[in-house]
Amino acid sequence: MPHRPASALSRRTLLRAGGAAIAATALGGTGLAAPDVGALKAGLAGPAPVTAAGDLVEVELIAKQRMLRILPEPAGPSPLITYADSFPGPIIRMRKGQRLRATLVNGLDEHTSIHWHGIRLPNLEDGVPYLTQPPTKPGERHVYEFTPPDAGSFFFHPHCNTVELLGRGLAGVLIVEEPDAPKVDADVVCLVKDWQLDKTGTFGTFMTDRGASRAGTFGSVSTVNGAIEPVIEVPANGDIRARLYNIDSTRVVDLRVEGAEAWIVAVDGNPLPPRPLDGWPMGPAMRIDVLFRAPAKAGQTLRLTNVYSAEPRPLATFRAVGPSLPNKRFKPRALPASAIPEPDLKDAPIIPMAFSATAVAQSFDAAALPGLPYADALCLSAKTFWAINQQSWPEGGHERLPPPLVTLEKGRSYIFELANLTPHLHPIHIHGYTFKVLSSDARKVVPHHADTVLLEPKERLRVAIKADNPGDWMFHCHIIEHQDTGMMGYIRVA
Ligand code: C2O
Ligand code: CU
C-alpha cells in the first residue's frame, strides 16, 4: 500500500488514542461538553477529543475489549470493544487540509479493519477486508493515511462481524473542521446508540433471524455518548453546534432539540442551506449538524428527544452553565460549501438498484472471478435474507468475491435509481462517494448531499454521483443485520 513519506510534512502531532494521553486532553478547550457528573461517577468518561495543530494528525487506535460501564450500579461494567479506553472514543478532530495517519492495532482475537465512513478517500484506504486490503490479523497493525477532501462529521468502524463489534461499541468519530466556519460558542458531539444489555450488564444476542429478516434486532438500553439520558453542559446563551450521529445498528431516529429553535446546517457532514430541525429521520450511520441557542441562564435546560417512536423519548439534556454570554441575534448561517464534483445529469445513465428480499439462492461463475485468498467465515453470513438487484452478498462457504453490481466508467456521471421493494426502511450507503440526492416518487426531496440515504418502504429515490474516484466501492444497507444477511454489494469504477 503506498504511503507518502512523512518528511514532506512540516509538523507532526502524535496522539495516542488508546492510552492516557487522550484522557488528559478530554476537556481541553474544544468546546466539547464536560462529562455528565453521573456518568463520571459511574466511571465513564465523556467524549475524548483528539486535536492537532500540525499538518499531520497521527493517532493509534487499539481495538480491544475493555470493561466499561454503560448501566448504573448495581449492574456491572460491560465487555465493550472500543478503539480507546473510553466510550465514546476517540473523537479525532482535525482541520480540513490536514492529513490523517491512523494506525490500527488489532488487539482482538479476530481479524479486523477500519472503514472511514463518508470520506471520499483513495480506495486502498477504505478499510474493507478482502476488497481493498487484506484483513489485519490479531496482533497486527495497519496504517491508514489520507487527507479528507471535505469538512464534516464523519465516523469510522470495522467492516466485518460488524453486528457484534459495532454492537459492543467499536466505532470512533472523525471531525474535519472548516477553516472558515461561522463561529459558535460550543461544538458538541452526540452519539445516539442503543445497547443489547441485560440488567446485569451482560450483552445479549445482536442478531436474530426474526430481526435480520425484518426491521432488525433493537437494543434494550438507549444512550447518548454511552450514557443513559446524560446532561450535556453548554455555555449559557451561547450558540451551539451539535453534531448528532445515529451510530446504532438498527434504530431510525428523528431528533428534536425541544425548547429551542434548532436548524440543520449539514447532512452527513455536507452543508445545506439552513433549515429548521423539524422531521429529518436518520437511519443507522446518518448524521446531521444542528445549530441552536443555549438557554439564557445557567441551570436552564433543553431536551434532546427522539420523536420517531409513537411517544417522544428523551435522550439527553443540554444544561446551560457559566455566566450568560452577551446577547446577540441568533442567525443560522450556512457552512462553507464542500467541493463534491457536480454530476452532469444530462449525460448520466440511470442505473437501477433494487433492494429486495432474497428471491432465489444466487449462483455466479466463481471461476471467472478474482481469488479471495483470505476468505473465512467471519465476513460471510450463514444466512441470506436480502439482495440488491437479486444478488446477495455470498452466503457462508463461498470463497470468492461476487462480481460488482455494476461497473462505471471513470469520469462519467451516473444516476442510481434506488428502489425499495420491501415493506422496511433501508439506509443505503455508498463508500468513497457522496450522493447528490435528486428526487423521490414518494415525497418531496430537499436537495442535499449524503453518504447514506434512508429509503422508505416501496420508495424509489434517485441519487447521482460523478464517478471520479476509481476502485471497488461497497454499496449496502446500513442496518447492520441487513448488510450481514445479503443487502450488500459493490460497484466498480474503472
Ligand atoms: Cu459505515 Cu460500509 O459502512
Ligand atoms: Cu436494510
Side-chain angles (χ1 to χ4, degrees), residues 129-356:
Y130 312 130
L131 193 68
T132 68
Q133 66 164 88
T136 303
K137 300 210 189 74
E140 285 183 356
R141 308 162 76 84
H142 184 92
V143 180
Y144 298 90
E145 189 171 325
F146 53 89
T147 304
D150 306 308
S153 306
F154 304 105
F155 74 120
F156 52 95
H157 59 75
H159 221 276
C160 225
N161 195 22
T162 317
V163 85
E164 181 186 351
L165 294 179
L166 185 61
R168 291 172 67 179
L170 194 58
V173 168
L174 174 58
I175 291 171
V176 183
E177 292 176 340
E178 310 84 353
D180 44 356
K183 287 247 174 325
V184 290
D185 299 304
D187 184 326
V188 302
V189 175
C190 298
L191 305 180
V192 176
K193 174 174 165 40
D194 296 347
W195 304 82
Q196 194 62 260
L197 288 169
D198 71 9
K199 285 201 296 292
T200 68
T202 305
F203 280 115
T205 315
F206 297 105
M207 175 141 126
T208 60
D209 283 2
R210 196 189 149 74
S213 62
R214 295 179 176 80
T217 305
F218 293 88
S220 54
V221 179
S222 78
T223 64
V224 171
N225 297 342
I228 300 166
E229 291 187 46
V231 175
I232 298 169
E233 296 184 338
V234 289
N237 213 31
D239 287 349
I240 315 302
R241 176 172 180 172
R243 300 171 188 265
L244 309 179
Y245 285 67
N246 181 1
I247 61 161
D248 194 49
S249 302
T250 312
R251 187 178 299 282
V252 175
V253 296
D254 188 3
L255 302 176
R256 295 287 188 283
V257 180
E258 284 180 3
E261 192 193 319
W263 293 75
I264 303 176
V265 294
V267 171
D268 292 352
N270 307 289
L272 79 174
R275 51 180 289 110
L277 174 61
D278 179 22
W280 195 279
M282 293 198 290
M286 295 167 74
R287 295 92 65 207
I288 50 175
D289 285 31
V290 303
L291 276 185
F292 64 90
R293 171 67 56 84
K297 293 207 178 64
Q300 294 175 333
T301 59
L302 300 169
R303 269 178 139 194
L304 180 69
T305 57
N306 172 19
V307 302
Y308 194 77
S309 45
E311 277 153 57
R313 294 183 50 178
L315 288 174
T317 300
F318 295 109
R319 184 168 61 208
V321 295
S324 298
L325 294 174
N327 265 324
K328 48 191 184 299
R329 206 157 79 82
F330 176 67
K331 192 167 168 291
R333 279 192 293 136
L335 299 172
S338 49
I340 297 161
E342 186 62 29
D344 176 2
L345 298 179
K346 284 195 304 293
D347 176 47
I350 295 173
I351 313 284
M353 289 278 184
F355 299 86
S356 69

Side-chain angles (χ1 to χ4, degrees), residues 47-68:
V50 176
T51 56
D55 297 333
L56 179 68
V57 177
E58 287 198 74
V59 56
E60 190 171 72
L61 303 164
I62 304 169
K64 64 172 190 180
Q65 178 175 305
R66 296 171 172 94
M67 295 303 292
L68 293 169

Side-chain angles (χ1 to χ4, degrees), residues 111 128-131 133-137 160 364 370-381 393-402:
H111 68 68
V128 180
Y130 312 130
L131 193 68
Q133 66 164 88
T136 303
K137 300 210 189 74
C160 225
F364 46 81
L372 186 55
Y374 309 95
D376 62 21
L378 199 58
C379 298
L380 306 171
S381 174
W393 193 255
E395 290 181 55
H398 289 256
E399 296 199 335
R400 284 165 188 275
L401 281 173

Side-chain angles (χ1 to χ4, degrees), residues 214 386 424-428 477-479 481-483 487:
R214 295 179 176 80
W386 306 101
H424 300 286
L425 291 147
H426 302 286
I428 302 303
C477 179
H478 222 289
I479 288 178
E481 281 164 288
H482 293 177
Q483 171 186 1
M487 199 176 273

Side-chain angles (χ1 to χ4, degrees), residues 382-424:
K383 288 206 172 108
T384 298
F385 294 117
W386 306 101
I388 303 176
N389 289 348
Q390 299 194 20
Q391 182 176 310
S392 291
W393 193 255
E395 290 181 55
H398 289 256
E399 296 199 335
R400 284 165 188 275
L401 281 173
L405 292 164
V406 62
T407 298
L408 308 181
E409 191 185 316
K410 182 175 174 268
R412 200 148 181 215
S413 296
Y414 294 88
I415 294 170
F416 296 107
E417 182 165 278
L418 311 176
N420 183 354
L421 309 182
T422 81
H424 300 286

